Amino acid sequence: MKSTDHFQNLLRCLDLEGEAEANDVVKQSRQLSGESAERTGRCLLGLAIREEAAGFGGRVLLTLGKRDRRVELPWTKLNSGSPVVLSEEHAAESVACRGVITGRDRETITVALSQSPEPSSDRPTFRLDWSSDEISRERQRAALKQVAAADHGRLAALKRKLLGEESPEFVADGPLPNGRGTDAWRLDESQRAAVAHAMAAKEVAVIHGPPGTGKTTAVVELIRQAVQRGERVLACAPSNLAVDNLLERFLAAGERAIRVGHPARVLPELREHTLDLQVAAHPDLKLAREWKKQAWALRRQASKFTRTAPEKGARREQRDEANRLLADARKMEERLVAHLLESATVVCATLTGLDDELLGKLQFDLAVIDEAAQTTEPACWIPLLRAKRLVLAGDHCQLPPTILSSTAKQLGFDVSLMERLVARWGDVISRQLTTQYRMHEQIMRFSSDEFYDSSLIAADCVREHVLADLPHVVPCPLVQSAMQFIDTAGSDCVEQAEADGSSRNNPGEADIVARQAQQLLAAGVTPSEIAIITPYAAQARLLRTLLDNAAIEIDTVDGFQGREKEAVVISLVRSNTTGEVGFLADTRRTNVALTRARRKLIVIGDSSTLANHDFYRRLLDHFEREGAYGTVWD
């Protein structure tokens, strides 16, 4: 595909995805109301303002809860950092206010808004709806157009490498320096090789990190090595949580790192390291604030009615002076922002959180994108506008980017830049990590064989660890083995379509999952050490109802990617007479599910349905070979 065709295709896919996202929101809002709407996890209804306070940068912080204070908030996908729209329910003309979720507990949710809402009644009720982020989509469009137009210089050269028109180049890999400011001696052999390879890249390299192999450790060491070499680094990831994880590691290592982005989307313990709060806390800002205060006083004075006419031109002079003061205040703030960014060795931001107005002409020697396989390609071009070299880190054998538009998916929009480069250049560009530090060897083996050419090796510290090794766990057969499959074939565990949605659940299987969770709790495993995951949102909702008071984390596979727990129970849901496995056919989702457990993995499913797919037939054979297969009748 020609360069121009490639970027035109990406631009079309961006538009298709935007349309699909908007249609999805409209469809749900039209079809569903009340509890049904809330069950989608994308809105909260019947909210009342509990508290109003001043937030960062002049924002307003509203804490909302159910009108009836005895009622807890239902399960929701609205988490810290989620973009939302707040509107008044039952109002003839409600002004929608855009905001960002800053925190949530069982009873309340807090949102940061640019202005306080103006209710139309004394006892208003509000609704919060998830909102698309059009600013991020526009930044992707702008980046694609700029790259497509580049025909000379660094950006054009980098474009040719990333489109596969020219082979990526490397200098000879050398041993990693292990001086002050680095921890190269802590890396295992495959991590050292991956970091050395990335350091040797002239344009682009890939660090392929299968589950539990210490990818983030390798990424942090790579960036610290680059800093020691005198380079300025831009560290990015698709999600705020992934960026915060990197920032936390940099700060612990003593790096001068700063976080760019809305403070409300940053973990509370890291907010003091955001650009916004560092600017606000800087002593030089006091003078800028004083100038703004004087400017607004002059504006008020210029517009004030007086009995005696002011001297000719006096009002204009006051307004001009006010404008000069405001301009000086803005310049001081801009200089302060530039100083803070330039003094940092590492700037951390989400891919679409890179604001040209904020960053100005700032350039970087190296851009690193963590979790690169989880984002679409257009987002990756945003940091490339500012970097000489690029390193992508992630695992294309786990979940790809989530795509709503079926047409965009057919056009290849779900193929990440990382996956495309690995498919084109293989070992020329990529180095895989091979020692995993999470799972019992038995849990690891199937994914290693299926997805990683049997290359993974369990570290000694995890190779044989089981729940029984935990001091608070009561010895019993359940906690002495690493994994088991519970076959529901022939039972009354049958899948069903959700009444008012497109997802599926399996009540019989959910009961078995709940019993397994209760047995783990009875054995002394704490709720915080257990997770229940399932591919289907409807099954997750049903399980939350069944285990309402157990305090166990329950989520979809997609929602649990990148996480781990000591014990994981998986509900596969599909059980039918036609052998349909639905979107379980994307086996990368199952790879994620199977690799979340550290010491105990329990999988529950119907072999008569699953065995119709080759991958799941091999999975069943694996459990049998390991002596971990059983049935619901056992």
Side-chain angles (χ1 to χ4, degrees):
M1 183 183 290
K2 291 181 180 179
S3 169
T4 52
D5 293 340
H6 180 74
F7 289 108
Q8 285 301 318
N9 182 62
L10 290 177
L11 284 166
R12 186 188 173 203
C13 288
L14 263 180
D15 290 339
L16 288 167
E17 189 65 8
E19 291 169 10
E21 204 171 73
N23 290 338
D24 189 47
V25 173
V26 170
K27 180 181 176 182
Q28 288 191 8
S29 64
R30 285 179 178 175
Q31 290 184 348
L32 305 175
S33 60
E35 291 184 6
S36 297
E38 285 190 322
R39 286 178 63 192
T40 66
R42 301 178 76 169
C43 79
L44 289 170
L45 306 175
L47 301 175
I49 297 175
R50 298 276 181 87
E51 186 179 335
E52 184 172 345
F56 341 102
R59 300 179 183 96
V60 177
L61 284 180
L62 283 188
T63 300
L64 304 124
K66 289 292 187 179
R67 169 67 65 189
D68 185 345
R69 288 177 174 265
R70 297 168 298 179
V71 177
E72 294 183 351
L73 294 178
W75 170 83
T76 179
K77 292 179 182 177
L78 302 180
N79 296 309
S80 289
S82 297
V84 290
V85 172
L86 177 73
S87 58
E88 188 179 350
E89 290 183 321
H90 317 304
E93 293 185 7
S94 174
V95 177
C97 302
R98 287 187 174 271
V100 175
I101 301 299
T102 65
R104 195 187 82 193
D105 57 30
R106 293 176 74 92
E107 284 135 19
T108 64
I109 190 164
T110 303
V111 58
L113 305 166
S114 58
Q115 61 184 37
S116 185
E118 297 181 6
S120 61
S121 63
D122 293 336
R123 284 175 55 83
T125 56
F126 296 88
R127 66 179 288 161
L128 270 179
D129 289 274
W130 178 87
S131 170
S132 61
D133 193 345
E134 276 304 313
I135 293 174
S136 69
R137 193 169 283 119
E138 190 50 48
R139 285 176 182 163
Q140 293 175 73
R141 288 192 191 99
L144 290 174
K145 290 175 182 177
Q146 187 173 337
V147 176
D151 56 5
H152 66 279
R154 175 203 58 79
L155 185 58
L158 194 55
K159 176 174 69 171
R160 290 192 294 272
K161 304 289 183 179
L162 294 179
L163 292 181
E165 296 171 359
E166 296 177 5
S167 176
E169 296 181 70
F170 296 82
V171 299
D173 292 8
L176 290 179
N178 193 26
R180 186 178 178 184
T182 69
D183 282 327
W185 63 275
R186 295 179 183 272
L187 303 183
D188 63 46
E189 186 177 343
S190 68
Q191 289 171 332
R192 278 196 299 273
V195 173
H197 185 66
M199 291 291 290
K202 288 185 176 181
E203 307 91 7
V204 60
V206 170
I207 296 177
H208 179 196
T213 54
K215 170 182 60 64
T216 303
T217 298
V219 167
V220 170
E221 182 58 28
L222 163 67
I223 291 172
R224 298 188 72 198
Q225 291 280 343
V227 169
Q228 286 298 303
R229 202 158 72 176
E231 297 181 347
R232 177 179 284 133
V233 183
L234 177 59
C236 296
S239 71
N240 285 286
L241 192 59
V243 176
D244 288 350
N245 186 31
L246 289 173
L247 175 63
E248 194 169 30
R249 299 283 288 271
F250 295 142
L251 294 172
E255 297 295 340
R256 297 196 312 277
I258 194 166
R259 175 74 155 89
V260 173
H262 197 307
R265 290 175 168 165
V266 179
L267 292 173
E269 59 269 26
L270 297 175
R271 283 176 185 159
E272 64 182 282
H273 301 284
T274 60
L275 181 62
D276 282 38
L277 266 65
Q278 289 202 15
V279 168
H282 201 282
D284 289 355
L285 197 68
K286 290 181 181 178
L287 184 56
R289 286 199 192 101
E290 184 59 33
W291 287 344
K292 285 183 180 180
K293 187 177 177 181
Q294 292 175 22
W296 288 110
L298 284 169
R299 283 191 170 186
R300 285 193 297 272
Q301 190 175 340
S303 60
K304 191 181 295 182
F305 172 79
T306 57
R307 291 184 179 276
T308 58
E311 292 183 18
K312 187 176 181 180
R315 292 183 191 275
R316 178 175 292 279
E317 287 180 9
Q318 288 174 328
R319 291 193 184 97
D320 289 346
E321 177 62 17
N323 290 337
R324 280 194 293 272
L325 286 168
L326 288 172
D328 288 344
R330 277 195 299 272
K331 286 177 183 176
M332 177 169 282
E333 289 175 347
E334 288 168 2
R335 285 197 297 270
L336 186 52
V337 166
H339 168 71
L340 288 169
L341 288 172
E342 287 172 5
S343 63
T345 54
V346 185
V347 174
C348 304
T350 60
L351 293 167
T352 56
L354 294 169
D355 185 352
D356 284 346
E357 190 175 331
L358 197 67
L359 296 175
K361 296 180 179 179
L362 190 63
Q363 293 289 313
F364 298 87
D365 301 289
L366 172 66
V368 178
I369 301 177
D370 196 14
E371 305 296 359
Q374 294 181 34
T375 186
T376 57
E377 183 172 328
C380 294
W381 288 101
I382 300 175
L384 283 172
L385 301 177
R386 299 179 171 275
K388 297 175 184 175
R389 304 191 329 278
L390 171 69
V391 173
L392 300 166
D395 183 12
H396 52 283
C397 299
Q398 296 187 60
L399 282 175
T402 301
I403 307 299
L404 293 177
S405 168
S406 57
T407 306
K409 195 168 186 177
Q410 289 168 7
L411 292 171
F413 201 47
D414 62 335
V415 178
S416 66
L417 175 62
M418 176 179 166
E419 184 178 359
R420 181 167 65 74
L421 289 174
V422 171
R424 176 71 177 88
W425 299 114
D427 292 341
V428 172
I429 200 171
S430 178
R431 291 292 182 273
Q432 184 197 309
L433 308 181
T434 55
T435 303
Q436 74 83 20
Y437 301 88
R438 176 186 297 165
M439 295 163 274
H440 188 288
E441 186 175 36
Q442 210 176 24
I443 299 172
M444 174 200 76
R445 192 171 296 132
F446 179 75
S447 285
S448 177
D449 293 344
E450 282 287 323
F451 295 95
Y452 309 107
D453 298 323
S454 304
S455 62
L456 299 187
I457 301 165
D460 291 341
C461 57
V462 302
R463 182 173 292 128
E464 296 181 351
H465 69 176
V466 291
L467 290 174
D469 298 330
L470 297 173
H472 53 277
V473 170
V474 180
C476 64
L478 178 66
V479 299
Q480 289 167 346
S481 63
M483 64 179 195
Q484 65 186 106
F485 183 91
I486 301 175
D487 191 353
T488 65
S491 70
D492 59 354
C493 298
V494 179
E495 68 177 80
Q496 60 185 28
E498 195 175 27
D500 49 10
S502 58
S503 188
R504 292 179 178 273
N505 61 29
N506 187 323
E509 189 170 292
D511 287 337
I512 297 169
V513 171
R515 287 202 297 272
Q516 290 297 312
Q518 295 294 353
Q519 288 177 27
L520 287 168
L521 292 171
V525 186
T526 64
S528 64
E529 293 171 327
I530 304 169
I532 298 173
I533 57 178
T534 172
Y536 290 91
Q539 185 76 341
R541 287 192 281 271
L542 177 58
L543 286 163
R544 289 189 193 98
T545 302
L546 289 176
L547 291 160
D548 184 42
N549 298 316
I552 293 172
E553 187 171 357
I554 301 169
D555 208 340
T556 60
V557 178
D558 298 53
F560 206 74
Q561 179 156 329
R563 307 281 308 287
E564 62 182 62
K565 291 283 187 176
E566 299 294 347
V568 172
V569 184
I570 301 172
S571 172
L572 293 175
V573 177
R574 298 313 294 251
S575 176
N576 52 70
T577 56
T578 55
E580 297 283 339
V581 297
F583 78 160
L584 289 185
D586 186 345
T587 56
R588 288 175 294 185
R589 180 171 279 104
T590 306
N591 183 32
V592 172
L594 295 173
T595 54
R596 301 305 97 196
R598 289 174 49 78
R599 299 169 186 265
K600 181 73 176 186
L601 172 66
I602 303 172
V603 182
I604 302 169
D606 177 3
S607 65
S608 65
T609 298
L610 298 171
N612 287 282
H613 191 285
D614 289 343
F615 173 87
Y616 292 99
R617 190 182 307 117
R618 292 193 296 273
L619 177 63
L620 292 165
D621 290 343
H622 171 70
F623 276 97
E624 282 201 89
R625 281 195 307 273
E626 298 290 340
Y629 173 86
T631 73
V632 69
W633 312 110
D634 296 338

